[in-house]
């Protein structure tokens, strides 16, 4: 069983930056994707970014590329989402997920993910 815990959310002003963290524990697979999705009330959870183990390839939602950067620590225990130039429309609950044995075509598909964290709220408002 994999346990994911997100942190780092909060209330920030437009234009500010935040870094989210997701700490993973458990699991034995060395082939998976870690991803960030976000969700606002009444809308579906949408893909933000992902990083694939073992090769470290990253994937981004086209609309967020250039502002958001995903990374991980050397041990693959923690993944990060650096969010810059935040906008009010970035307000959402951000979730960390893990997809086992991913293929590229499934990485952006929330329904394929096996594990989720509890989410962390990000609010961008003046």
């Amino acid at each position: 069983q994999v346990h994911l815990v997100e942190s780092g959310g909060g209330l920030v002003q437009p234009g500010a930056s935040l870094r989210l963290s997701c700490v993973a524990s458990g699991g034995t697979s060395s082939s998976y994707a870690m991803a960030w999705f976000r969700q606002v009330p009444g809308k579906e959870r949408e893909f933000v970014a992902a990083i694939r183990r073992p090769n470290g390839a990253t994937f981004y939602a086209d609309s967020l590329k250039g502002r958001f950067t995903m990374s991980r620590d050397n041990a693959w225990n923690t993944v990060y989402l650096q969010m810059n130039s935040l906008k009010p429309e970035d307000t959402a609950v951000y979730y960390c997920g893990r997809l086992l044995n991913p293929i590229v075509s499934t990485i952006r598909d929330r329904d394929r993910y096996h594990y989720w964290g509890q989410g962390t709220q990000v609010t961008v408002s003046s």
Side-chain angles (χ1 to χ4, degrees):
Q1 187 72 11
V2 174
H3 189 52
L4 304 174
V5 180
E6 303 97 332
S7 63
L11 171 64
V12 296
Q13 293 189 336
S17 297
L18 270 179
R19 189 175 81 157
L20 306 183
S21 300
C22 173
V23 177
S25 59
T28 58
S29 175
S30 59
S31 175
Y32 53 80
M34 295 293 298
W36 289 97
F37 285 73
R38 66 186 185 183
Q39 189 170 22
V40 298
K43 293 191 175 181
E44 294 182 337
R45 192 170 296 188
E46 67 170 353
F47 174 77
V48 173
I51 189 165
R52 186 178 179 184
R53 184 177 185 178
N55 65 5
T58 52
F59 306 82
Y60 295 95
D62 289 341
S63 62
L64 301 175
K65 200 176 297 184
R67 291 197 299 125
F68 289 15
T69 303
M70 189 166 181
S71 62
R72 46 90 177 180
D73 68 358
N74 287 337
W76 286 89
N77 291 327
T78 305
V79 294
Y80 305 97
L81 183 68
Q82 178 67 42
M83 305 185 294
N84 297 329
S85 303
L86 283 162
K87 304 175 181 180
E89 51 264 42
D90 295 318
T91 296
V93 178
Y94 284 70
Y95 294 92
C96 176
R98 179 177 287 190
L99 168 61
L100 303 179
N101 301 311
I103 56 175
V104 173
S105 62
T106 63
I107 284 176
R108 291 176 171 83
D109 185 349
R110 63 183 176 275
D111 294 331
R112 301 288 188 139
Y113 279 70
H114 298 89
Y115 302 101
W116 293 100
Q118 84 290 347
T120 186
Q121 176 71 47
V122 172
T123 302
V124 184
S125 176
S126 56

